[in-house]
Amino acid sequence: MSVTSRYREAWEGFWREAPDEAGGVFWDADPKVTAALHLALFEPHLAHPGLALLDLGCGNGTQTRYFADRFPHVVGADLSAAAVDRARRADPAGQATYRLLDAAEKGAAETLHAELGDTNVYMRGVLHQCEPDDRQPLVDAIAALVGERGRVFLVELSEAARPVLGGLAQGPAGPPPKLAPIFRHGIAPGEVADDAVPTYLRTAGLTILASGELPLITTEFAPDGTRIELPSKWLVAARVK
């Protein structure tokens, strides 16, 4: 199984048209308020920090480059060729490596695992943007990449984010400028039940080691000038014998 061509084309179109400047994309917040906060929660659970770190769904690589300053081997992977190209261009020194990956495609994760070995995986806000039928295959792929020694850190919008996004999209002036392209390209965030993510992980053979809540910081502002923050939940999981 792999992602639908419609879904892939939606992401290609989005990244081809996205602005190049830092913070030009709705979720492309400064790592100081995203990856740094997540790493503080993730790092204490890394049994083997020397493993390759995979930023799955890396987009233009903003968070990937942050991790590359802190880990010896960092790989950014994304479904979109346009996103991977942006990530490479934004990293001329080659701090990290980047690759095209359809993680929902059967065998793709096993192939990458054969190359990298067990990996620590970071994934921010990808499941809720996936087609429902792709979610369990994606988490199964993460389990294959983690192997016996790795850990995975997932951040996903909670159910409470849906009315926030709905209110923004239906405001008198329409959705904010950085949110509008997401809807226009047909990749509007879908709803993932709060109890669904732990179920996906357990079905994939992973055990939850820690979890909590943390606002997902965006680069956009509400009409009253306040920064938009979306309710989210985070989990750390691993294969435990």
Side-chain angles (χ1 to χ4, degrees):
M1 182 178 187
S2 64
V3 298
T4 64
S5 59
R6 184 211 65 79
Y7 182 68
R8 188 192 305 273
E9 289 164 4
W11 278 109
E12 287 296 340
F14 175 85
W15 280 113
R16 281 196 299 266
E17 294 180 10
D20 285 326
E21 67 267 16
V25 172
F26 183 69
W27 55 80
D28 193 32
D30 190 306
K32 293 186 183 69
V33 296
T34 49
L37 302 184
H38 299 154
L39 185 57
L41 299 168
F42 190 23
E43 202 162 23
H45 299 280
L46 295 178
H48 300 278
L51 298 178
L53 177 71
L54 177 67
D55 181 7
L56 189 54
C58 69
N60 60 1
T62 298
Q63 314 307 319
T64 318
R65 294 188 295 278
Y66 175 86
F67 290 126
D69 283 336
R70 289 153 182 84
F71 292 93
H73 185 193
V74 175
V75 179
D78 202 277
L79 170 72
S80 165
V84 171
D85 180 62
R86 281 175 180 253
R88 286 181 178 139
R89 284 189 283 110
D91 186 7
Q95 289 179 284
T97 59
Y98 305 91
R99 65 180 62 215
L100 195 63
L101 179 71
D102 176 358
E105 182 181 359
K106 186 174 176 59
E110 287 84 353
T111 300
L112 185 56
H113 180 264
E115 176 186 337
L116 299 178
D118 291 354
T119 63
N120 293 313
V121 178
Y122 172 80
M123 191 171 80
R124 178 177 66 114
V126 174
L127 271 178
H128 74 270
Q129 294 173 332
C130 290
E131 304 282 1
D133 288 347
D134 291 332
R135 290 171 186 160
Q136 187 62 59
L138 175 57
V139 179
D140 291 343
I142 290 171
L145 289 160
V146 164
E148 300 297 328
R149 299 179 296 154
R151 301 286 187 267
V152 56
F153 184 89
L154 299 184
V155 184
E156 289 297 329
L157 297 184
S158 66
E159 292 176 34
R162 188 172 182 84
V164 176
L165 287 166
L168 291 168
Q170 297 165 18
K178 294 178 187 176
L179 187 58
I182 299 172
F183 292 104
R184 186 172 70 251
H185 286 282
I187 50 176
E191 182 174 343
V192 179
D194 289 345
D195 60 358
V197 179
T199 299
Y200 291 138
L201 290 165
R202 295 186 187 107
T203 300
L206 299 176
T207 297
I208 295 169
L209 305 179
S211 62
E213 299 182 4
L214 189 70
L216 194 67
I217 308 300
T218 77
T219 63
E220 188 57 280
F221 294 85
D224 64 2
T226 59
R227 185 183 291 273
I228 296 171
E229 299 182 4
L230 300 175
S232 70
K233 294 182 178 290
W234 61 268
L235 302 98
V236 179
R239 196 180 306 280
V240 177
K241 295 182 181 178

